[in-house]
């Protein structure tokens, strides 16, 4: 067999994550998403409307902080694309669960807030129809607070899709550009070809 010399700067870096890393990412993503849904389905949501709105806004602030941390973790990850996908899916599930909890709480506090009573599964369904901008019309907000929360979800949904997606893509590019720059730098003790 013929020996192939290693390229300068060490062995070539893997362009695709190994199957083990992909499996670990899938398991973490499914696990964290399932945990969020189980917490949503199991936690009591019977709060008065003002408390529901405060909790929803607090949850959104927490989501923004979590997203900032996640973007930084993407840049430092050995597999930034996998990390970005995991972070985006988990953040999306958290976003949906936050608004679904808000809708279920509003319906419990004021049964006439929507055209029909909204339980937890209906709230998940309604959140997804608003997020996907489908709006079948079977469940609609009737009261002022319910319309405010739906409007807030619409605005946050647009911002979430545009800004969060862009930030994760930028983080992946920064991570990949940083690795490319490391690959282009000369090995210690060797002359710099750019000089």
């Amino acid at each position: 067999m013929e020996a192939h010399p290693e390229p300068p700067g060490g062995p070539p870096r893997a362009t695709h994550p190994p199957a083990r890393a992909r499996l670990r990412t899938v398991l973490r993503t499914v696990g964290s998403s399932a945990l969020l849904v189980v917490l949503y389905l199991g936690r009591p949501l019977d709060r008065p409307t003002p408390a529901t709105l405060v909790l929803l806004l607090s949850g959104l602030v927490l989501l923004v902080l979590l997203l900032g941390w996640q973007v930084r973790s993407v840049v430092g990850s050995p597999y930034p694309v996998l990390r970005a996908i995991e972070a985006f899916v988990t953040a999306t599930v958290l976003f949906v669960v936050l608004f679904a909890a808000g809708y279920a709480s509003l319906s419990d506090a004021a049964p006439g807030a929507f055209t029909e009573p909204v339980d937890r599964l209906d709230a998940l369904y309604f959140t997804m129809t608003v997020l996907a901008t489908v709006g079948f019309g079977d469940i609609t907000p009737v009261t002022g607070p319910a319309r405010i929360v739906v409007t807030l979800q619409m605005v946050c949904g647009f911002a979430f899709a545009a800004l969060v997606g862009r930030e994760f893509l930028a983080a992946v590019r920064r991570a990949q550009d940083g690795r490319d720059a490391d690959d282009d730098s000369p090995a210690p003790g060797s002359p710099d070809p750019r000089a």
Side-chain angles (χ1 to χ4, degrees):
M1 287 194 134
E2 186 177 317
H4 295 285
E6 281 190 12
R13 82 184 148 100
T15 55
H16 298 290
R20 187 179 186 124
R22 290 190 305 255
L23 177 63
R24 198 173 26 241
T25 298
V26 167
L27 292 175
R28 270 196 319 259
T29 303
V30 169
S32 61
S33 297
L35 178 64
L36 287 169
V37 171
V38 166
L39 287 173
Y40 162 72
L41 292 173
R43 298 284 302 158
L45 298 174
D46 52 348
R47 299 189 186 327
T49 301
T52 297
L53 296 176
V54 168
L55 286 173
L56 180 60
L57 290 174
S58 300
L60 289 174
V61 168
L62 178 67
L63 177 61
V64 167
L65 294 173
L66 176 70
L67 287 170
W69 175 76
Q70 293 280 26
V71 166
R72 287 185 22 207
S73 74
V74 167
V75 174
S77 173
Y79 306 111
V81 173
L82 281 182
R83 187 70 184 106
I85 291 169
E86 176 186 358
F88 188 76
V89 169
T90 304
T92 302
V93 171
L94 179 57
F95 181 86
V96 168
V97 165
L98 280 172
F99 277 98
Y103 295 137
S105 293
L106 281 172
S107 185
D108 283 346
F114 298 92
T115 51
E116 61 183 68
V118 175
D119 64 14
R120 289 172 195 241
L121 291 177
D122 292 334
L124 278 173
Y125 161 78
F126 181 66
T127 303
M128 289 304 299
T129 61
V130 172
L131 183 63
T133 67
V134 175
F136 292 116
D138 51 347
I139 302 172
T140 57
V142 177
T143 64
R147 289 180 175 163
I148 288 171
V149 174
V150 170
T151 303
L152 179 65
Q153 184 194 343
M154 289 177 198
V155 170
C156 290
F158 288 135
F160 185 85
L163 298 175
V164 173
R166 186 190 75 192
E167 283 303 311
F168 281 129
L169 286 175
V172 168
R173 281 192 202 108
R174 283 193 306 268
Q176 290 173 337
D177 289 347
R179 286 197 186 84
D180 291 342
D182 288 345
D183 289 347
D184 292 341
S185 62
S190 65
D192 188 350
R194 295 171 285 184

